[in-house]
Amino acid sequence: MDINEAKKAYLDNKALFRAKLFKEPDLIYLFFELTRSCNEKCFHCGSSCAPGLGHGPDKEAFKAVLRDAKEHFDLKRLQLCITGGEPLLYPDFAELLGYANDLGFKWGMTTNATLITKDVAQMLADTGMGTVSVSIDGLRETHDRQRGLKGGYDKAMRGIQNMIDQKAFRHIQVTTVVNHKNIGELDELYEILDQMDIDSWRVIGIEPMGRALDYPDMLLTPDDQRYLFNFIRSKREQGIPVNYGCSHFLGLEYEREVRDWFFYCGAGTHTAAIRINGDITACLDIEDRPEFVQGNIYKDKFSDVWFNRFQVFRKPLSSLCKECQECEYEKWCAGGSRHCFDYDNNKQRVCFKDILF
């Protein structure tokens, strides 16, 4: 069996697994959106975060969700994912995550790292953080310009080093959002990151969502996309831990070549999230629309919502799109990633058919 036939067989099994998950969902990732406030204002932010915006539910409401999750889910399989905004701006961060750690949760965080002093790194170790993803979106000048904070690059790099020096974290990852203007910096950025003791580099393309919709000139062209995937594949062939993100079906040539897994959008079957207002939904990157709100932690028990609602996410996304239904790859793609779907016009904003395959 050649490699493409092996991939087809695996993708066929993945399609059967997806159908099973629609009936028997398996929660693996639980996201807490602690805040929409951020000390940066990235032009591509999917949640349109900015300085001075509101924080998430109070710590006692979050703690109630944690106790409920501990009772109804296997904590050996469940990962608590902390995000924002900048999560470290949440007033009760240390108390909440210390509580999660005491309950036995594995947890990780997405951060810009600008606030991670040596003392903060020690606090993260003391509260049991296992994994972290830090945003570095280009070389110094580009990073600062695109993230709206002068000196942000240097602060983020110090934050990364402060965590490395702790020698307490299972996985330190850098994430880079690639756009039309910074794609030419990938090689030089790699040389910098390769000198640091990080565990992986996650390289993702800018997505047409949130504030990025206001900057169409920054979106990746088809040539940019092909360059990006060939860059990632070439590094991986050298044994370098570079991964593309979870988004999008990439076709037989690139599936499993640029990341460690085959495409599957797990929103609502593997993934749930609590928004800053207490709303229970799936992936936080999905457009915040009323039909996607499945409950609220101030009036609903999270586990009841997970087991008895979420039907809107437990059917193929392709069921909304005639073009997807007629596509020869529908069985494997199922309509693509839910976060970049245009729900007003029922079509996918990002499809790599005719670009990569």
Side-chain angles (χ1 to χ4, degrees):
M1 181 184 293
D2 68 20
I3 185 65
N4 278 352
E5 290 304 312
K7 288 182 178 181
K8 288 178 183 179
Y10 191 94
L11 287 164
D12 284 344
N13 287 331
K14 195 82 171 180
L16 294 174
F17 180 63
R18 181 193 305 115
K20 181 180 179 182
L21 280 174
F22 287 151
K23 298 177 181 178
E24 301 173 15
D26 180 20
L27 184 64
I28 297 177
Y29 304 105
L30 176 56
F31 283 80
F32 277 10
E33 184 182 47
L34 294 191
T35 181
R36 288 276 179 87
S37 186
C38 189
N39 58 332
E40 297 184 331
K41 191 176 181 180
C42 308
F43 86 90
H44 59 264
C45 181
S47 299
S48 299
C49 299
L53 297 185
H55 299 307
D58 63 70
K59 61 187 177 185
E60 297 306 323
F62 271 136
K63 287 179 180 180
V65 175
L66 292 172
R67 291 192 296 271
D68 178 39
K70 179 178 174 65
E71 180 181 353
H72 291 92
F73 301 96
D74 181 0
L75 295 194
K76 292 180 181 178
R77 290 175 50 74
L78 182 61
Q79 170 83 6
L80 181 63
C81 307
I82 303 302
T83 186
E86 172 48 54
L88 289 168
L89 293 174
Y90 184 69
D92 299 303
F93 182 96
E95 180 181 343
L96 176 62
L97 275 305
Y99 185 79
N101 185 48
D102 290 343
L103 287 179
F105 280 86
K106 298 177 296 182
W107 72 273
M109 175 175 65
T110 300
T111 176
N112 61 40
T114 60
L115 304 177
I116 301 180
T117 62
K118 292 184 182 297
D119 287 344
V120 171
Q122 180 66 60
M123 178 272 290
L124 295 173
D126 291 343
T127 53
M129 186 179 76
T131 61
V132 64
S133 180
V134 178
S135 302
I136 299 291
D137 290 330
L139 303 177
R140 179 179 286 104
E141 181 180 342
T142 299
H143 175 94
D144 289 359
R145 182 177 65 252
Q146 294 184 171
R147 301 188 69 86
L149 179 65
K150 188 174 182 179
Y153 176 91
D154 290 332
K155 291 177 181 177
M157 286 297 193
R158 281 197 296 271
I160 294 171
Q161 191 59 53
N162 287 335
M163 289 187 289
I164 291 171
D165 291 344
Q166 275 293 321
K167 302 185 185 303
F169 308 113
R170 187 170 70 254
H171 197 103
I172 297 174
Q173 178 186 78
V174 166
T175 293
T176 299
V177 178
V178 180
N179 60 65
H180 184 60
K181 299 293 178 66
N182 70 359
I183 193 168
E185 299 181 355
L186 285 176
D187 281 302
E188 193 172 350
L189 186 57
Y190 163 74
E191 294 299 329
I192 294 170
L193 297 177
D194 188 45
Q195 300 303 310
M196 303 177 70
D197 190 21
I198 62 172
D199 297 291
S200 67
W201 185 22
R202 180 171 172 257
V203 182
I204 58 178
I206 186 174
E207 300 279 61
M209 52 186 271
R211 276 200 292 261
L213 289 170
D214 297 329
Y215 298 89
D217 60 315
M218 300 292 278
L219 299 180
L220 295 172
T221 67
D223 284 343
D224 290 339
Q225 298 282 14
R226 287 186 283 267
Y227 177 87
L228 173 63
F229 289 110
N230 286 327
F231 171 85
I232 296 172
R233 183 165 61 179
S234 70
K235 295 302 182 190
R236 290 173 61 84
E237 287 173 348
Q238 298 170 45
I240 298 165
V242 182
N243 268 311
Y244 183 64
C246 62
S247 303
H248 314 306
F249 175 69
L250 306 177
L252 292 177
E253 182 178 351
Y254 290 93
E255 280 292 331
R256 195 55 177 81
E257 303 296 319
V258 295
R259 56 190 170 203
D260 297 337
W261 58 90
F262 287 84
F263 170 70
Y264 171 68
C265 182
T269 55
H270 278 327
T271 302
I274 314 297
R275 293 193 179 276
I276 61 166
N277 61 356
D279 282 347
I280 302 169
T281 186
C283 173
L284 288 168
D285 287 337
I286 298 174
E287 186 178 346
D288 191 1
R289 298 168 67 98
E291 62 265 36
F292 298 147
V293 177
Q294 303 303 293
N296 188 284
I297 63 172
Y298 285 113
K299 61 184 179 66
D300 300 301
K301 194 173 181 179
F302 171 77
S303 58
D304 289 343
V305 173
W306 175 258
F307 290 120
N308 298 307
R309 302 183 196 176
F310 275 86
Q311 283 76 19
V312 68
F313 298 109
R314 291 171 184 168
K315 59 183 179 181
L317 186 58
S318 54
S319 64
L320 302 177
C321 175
K322 187 173 186 296
E323 183 178 356
C324 289
Q325 293 169 29
E326 296 174 350
C327 177
E328 62 188 294
Y329 300 96
E330 188 276 338
K331 178 172 66 170
W332 299 333
C333 177
S337 296
R338 292 180 184 270
H339 71 270
C340 55
F341 197 79
D342 181 349
Y343 293 96
D344 290 321
N345 297 294
N346 286 332
K347 63 180 183 179
Q348 183 58 252
R349 289 192 177 106
V350 179
C351 177
F352 285 117
K353 186 180 179 183
D354 299 326
I355 295 177
L356 297 182
F357 60 96

